[in-house]
Amino acid sequence: MPFNQVQSLSDLKKLQETFYDAIFDPSSNNIKQASTYIIGTEKISEAQRLSIYRDSILGGITAALTHIYPVCVKLLGEKYFTHMVAGYLKKFPSESPDIGNYGEHLPAYIAEFKPAKELVYLSDVAQLEWLWHKAFNAPSDLSSSPEQKPLSELQNISEQNLPLVKFCSVSSANLLTSLYPIQRIWQVNQHDFQGDHSVSLDEGGVSLVIWRCADFGMRIDELNEDETKFLSAVLNCASFGQIAEIDFNQGLDEIVQRCIQTGLVIGFTTG
Amino acid sequence: MSTSKYKANSILGAGLGLRSSHYQEVFNTKPDVPWFELLSDNYMAEGGLPLVRAEKIREDYPITLHGVGMSLGSADPLDMDYLGRLKTLIKRLEPTYVSDHLAWVSISGKHTHDLLPFPYTDFTVKHISERINQVQDFLGQEILVENPSSYLDFHSTEMTEWEFIQGIAKSTDCNLLMDINNIYVSAVNHDFDPYEYLQAIPADRVKEIHLAGYEKMDNYLFDTHGYQVHPPVWELYKAALNRFGATPTLIEWDTDIPDFPTLRAEALKAEKLIQEVA
Ligand SMILES: [Fe+2]
């Protein structure tokens, strides 16, 4: 049986690809292909041995995603979540050795996941959980680029150079806008939440910034329309000159001050 | 002599696998644990809270780094980006040992995040030895490789697992991390004598031992890392200590992680047995 020999790199590659396909797409043909490599016994068949590995692999990845998406698990139920992850894995293979990088596309996948269709807000809640996970693991701002100057040096910038200033936000910050009250949904589903668990979708949408502050506190802050416009421009590397053109309700000075006070804006670059 | 940022740099006795649920207790009580093993894959991000915690632990304890991401058994080329980040982490945390497994984890750039078996053949001895040498050259240090537990055998396998390990030991200068629970689990699953396995292992290469609790399924044992160490594994461990000497030993507990005192009590059992052969 030359097919079963593993005496070269291409033999090994073929075996591993066949094994992978049988795990993530366990069609009867894929299982049959992989089984040709495996010794079955009376006690445990070839297919059963494969499914030991399948359960272990899916169990491990599901546990990792459960850790990132605990509120989604709670809202969807463990059974449906596990079922959804199996489908997600087939469509989006994990491309990084770091399991913490896996799961980025789950919010988009949830939006298309039929059994969760009625939970219209679930995809946005998932996005909130992903951004929380990213902020938690973001590099610390101490190691930010050498061109970044502290805000205290802003007073040394001449009036004519001011339009060239680009504000720097904390590297962990990400914005999220939703039509639904996802921050409240997220909050009442935290395991230590005490109080009224009901949330009405009539409460309306929110604009949020998810970030980690200097002392490693995790933050989800609600933003008003001006702050959203301002921070979104900052995150897109807009210059102060470009930001000054934006139509704000409040004065720009006031908005900048607030974002500096909260610690979201921590420095600036010029040119 | 290279200089170290940290005071403690060698490991002795029974250490513990550091899990995130125990950080606070370790920070607050500074327990008398000889060393901790950290899962390198949890600290590979450029920064973030986990890394800050790891550095804080490292100030008080010697550590080892244990990973699953090298995919030494894969037909894919080695992931140099992963190894680069591991090298950075090694510089930062100065572990006593760095270890990974005799297994494959990824193929064609797709990752399973689990330790998968491959056939033991002359080709795979050569292939994996070359990769271990490549990793060691790149990291500029020796690594430890660990025997995983397994649930299947391949038609194409030409030798036993211990013969495979002997082959690796001959063609590389890597060291070994012998997981006694894994030997026992595989011995039951594949019906071989675990004591014969132990006897065949080159004793001078064994630098660390793992212990864990398996789960008894209907017709096989599964390596859950979710229980206390079972009696037959303690027996096999005694034989291992007699053969390998007083080897640093780690209790691995990854699912249904108990409170810290329970974990420590398990380590103290190992510590006592290590003392007896020391
Ligand atoms: Fe182990």
Side-chain angles (χ1 to χ4, degrees):
Chain A
M1 291 189 296
F3 184 61
N4 279 329
Q5 299 307 303
V6 177
Q7 285 169 350
S8 70
L9 195 59
S10 60
D11 289 346
L12 185 63
K13 188 172 166 63
K14 179 94 182 98
L15 177 147
Q16 292 175 342
E17 282 175 341
T18 308
F19 195 99
Y20 184 96
D21 290 343
I23 297 293
F24 290 94
D25 181 8
S27 66
S28 56
N29 186 51
N30 283 348
I31 289 174
K32 206 171 108 194
Q33 290 298 321
S35 295
T36 59
Y37 286 101
I38 299 168
I39 302 175
T41 60
E42 222 168 88
K43 248 180 17 179
I44 315 177
S45 71
E46 296 89 330
Q48 280 170 323
R49 289 175 190 275
L50 274 171
S51 72
I52 295 173
Y53 281 100
R54 177 175 158 81
D55 291 348
S56 171
I57 293 169
L58 265 58
I61 296 176
T62 305
L65 290 179
T66 298
H67 186 71
I68 299 174
Y69 293 105
V71 174
C72 290
V73 176
K74 210 167 159 191
L75 293 171
L76 208 50
E78 236 173 87
K79 202 179 115 203
Y80 271 118
F81 186 81
T82 304
H83 169 70
M84 182 177 73
V85 167
Y88 177 70
L89 274 166
K90 205 162 137 184
K91 196 158 171 202
F92 295 99
S94 172
E95 287 167 343
S96 158
D98 181 354
I99 199 166
N101 290 337
Y102 188 62
E104 184 178 4
H105 306 292
L106 197 67
Y109 187 81
I110 286 176
E112 303 288 315
F113 184 62
K114 288 215 180 76
K117 207 172 66 204
E118 270 158 33
L119 305 175
V120 283
Y121 46 82
L122 190 65
S123 172
D124 288 352
V125 172
Q127 189 62 36
L128 173 56
E129 294 196 287
W130 177 256
L131 295 179
W132 173 281
H133 170 67
K134 263 183 63 178
F136 187 77
N137 290 290
S140 121
D141 288 295
L142 300 173
S143 53
S144 54
S145 77
E147 298 98 64
Q148 186 177 315
K149 299 185 178 84
L151 291 163
S152 56
E153 282 182 32
L154 208 51
Q155 62 198 39
N156 305 333
I157 301 292
S158 68
E159 188 122 343
Q160 93 195 62
N161 281 335
L162 206 55
L164 301 175
V165 162
K166 287 180 177 175
F167 286 113
C168 307
S169 67
V170 286
S171 60
S172 60
N174 271 291
L175 299 182
L176 176 61
T177 299
S178 173
L179 297 171
Y180 309 102
I182 53 170
Q183 186 187 13
R184 286 255 302 124
I185 295 172
W186 182 86
Q187 234 166 26
V188 303
N189 283 290
Q190 295 304 303
H191 66 91
D192 52 359
F193 178 79
Q194 288 175 346
D196 185 4
H197 276 73
S198 58
V199 181
S200 160
L201 293 190
D202 297 338
E203 290 174 29
V206 276
S207 243
L208 305 171
V209 56
I210 296 102
W211 62 294
R212 197 181 77 210
C213 54
D215 56 357
F216 280 103
M218 289 295 299
R219 300 274 298 261
I220 300 178
D221 292 332
E222 195 168 342
L223 303 173
N224 64 29
E225 197 188 328
D226 283 345
E227 291 160 342
T228 308
K229 281 187 200 163
F230 173 72
L231 280 174
S232 148
V234 168
L235 289 170
N236 286 316
C237 301
S239 66
F240 195 65
Q242 289 166 316
I243 291 176
E245 312 258 298
I246 299 174
D247 193 14
F248 292 107
N249 300 321
Q250 295 162 281
L252 181 51
D253 272 4
E254 213 177 305
I255 303 167
V256 175
Q257 278 313 319
R258 271 197 63 183
C259 290
I260 290 175
Q261 268 163 15
T262 51
L264 274 161
V265 168
I266 52 170
F268 71 97
T269 60
T270 43
Chain B
M1 275 297 276
S2 65
T3 50
S4 169
K5 291 181 280 201
Y6 303 106
K7 16 183 215 293
N9 284 300
S10 65
I11 62 168
L12 272 176
L16 286 175
L18 184 70
R19 300 296 175 261
S20 54
S21 50
H22 297 143
Y23 284 131
Q24 220 45 58
E25 172 130 16
V26 174
F27 291 148
N28 294 347
T29 66
K30 302 244 166 83
D32 180 23
V33 173
W35 54 283
F36 282 104
E37 183 148 286
L38 275 60
L39 300 174
S40 32
D41 303 275
N42 293 352
Y43 306 94
M44 297 291 254
E46 265 173 76
L49 197 47
L51 199 55
V52 172
R53 287 169 169 169
E55 285 181 319
K56 204 167 159 207
I57 294 280
R58 181 65 183 93
E59 278 166 22
D60 295 319
Y61 299 94
I63 62 149
T64 53
L65 281 178
H66 185 55
V68 297
M70 276 186 204
S71 205
L72 289 169
S74 174
D76 278 357
L78 285 170
D79 183 340
M80 297 315 288
D81 173 63
Y82 175 83
L83 290 174
R85 283 183 292 136
L86 180 60
K87 195 171 179 172
T88 307
L89 186 64
I90 291 170
K91 248 194 215 136
R92 244 170 134 152
L93 296 178
E94 299 181 14
T96 308
Y97 297 127
V98 175
S99 58
D100 207 302
H101 301 80
L102 293 170
W104 65 281
V105 176
S106 53
I107 186 64
S108 308
K110 296 179 285 191
H111 295 260
T112 68
H113 307 286
D114 211 332
L115 303 167
L116 305 176
F118 53 85
Y120 299 136
T121 71
D122 287 339
F123 168 73
T124 57
V125 169
K126 188 172 143 276
H127 176 64
I128 285 147
S129 297
E130 282 168 8
R131 287 162 74 86
I132 291 172
N133 287 330
Q134 228 183 313
V135 169
Q136 296 190 141
D137 285 348
F138 178 79
L139 296 179
Q141 69 175 80
E142 283 159 12
I143 59 167
L144 274 55
V145 293
E146 176 183 353
N147 58 304
S149 42
S150 82
Y151 313 101
L152 59 79
D153 265 334
F154 295 97
H155 291 294
S156 48
T157 275
E158 297 161 359
M159 61 187 83
T160 61
E161 189 166 291
W162 54 93
E163 286 164 341
F164 180 84
I165 291 173
Q166 287 172 336
I168 297 284
K170 250 183 227 136
S171 36
T172 76
D173 54 9
C174 77
N175 288 313
L176 300 172
L177 192 177
M178 295 316 297
D179 189 314
I180 304 301
N181 179 60
N182 289 351
I183 295 179
Y184 184 76
V185 164
S186 293
V188 171
N189 290 347
H190 304 306
D191 202 18
F192 64 72
D193 177 1
Y195 291 86
E196 186 185 351
Y197 187 132
L198 274 187
Q199 284 312 311
I201 297 302
D204 59 326
R205 297 291 187 90
V206 180
K207 302 293 175 199
E208 187 185 333
I209 286 176
H210 273 180
L211 292 173
Y214 58 76
E215 186 175 358
K216 196 164 172 3
M217 313 303 270
D218 275 349
N219 40 13
Y220 65 95
L221 300 184
F222 188 74
D223 180 27
T224 332
H225 289 184
Y227 298 87
Q228 290 184 314
V229 179
H230 294 295
V233 176
W234 283 121
E235 283 310 306
L236 191 60
Y237 175 58
K238 285 182 202 161
L241 287 177
N242 281 326
R243 178 154 161 69
F244 306 139
T247 312
T249 301
L250 178 87
I251 308 287
E252 289 184 295
W253 206 316
D254 294 303
T255 53
D256 295 324
I257 302 174
D259 60 8
F260 197 70
T262 309
L263 202 57
R264 274 184 79 194
E266 202 65 358
L268 289 175
K269 287 188 214 165
E271 185 75 54
K272 209 170 145 242
L273 294 171
I274 297 171
Q275 293 301 334
E276 281 169 21
V277 295

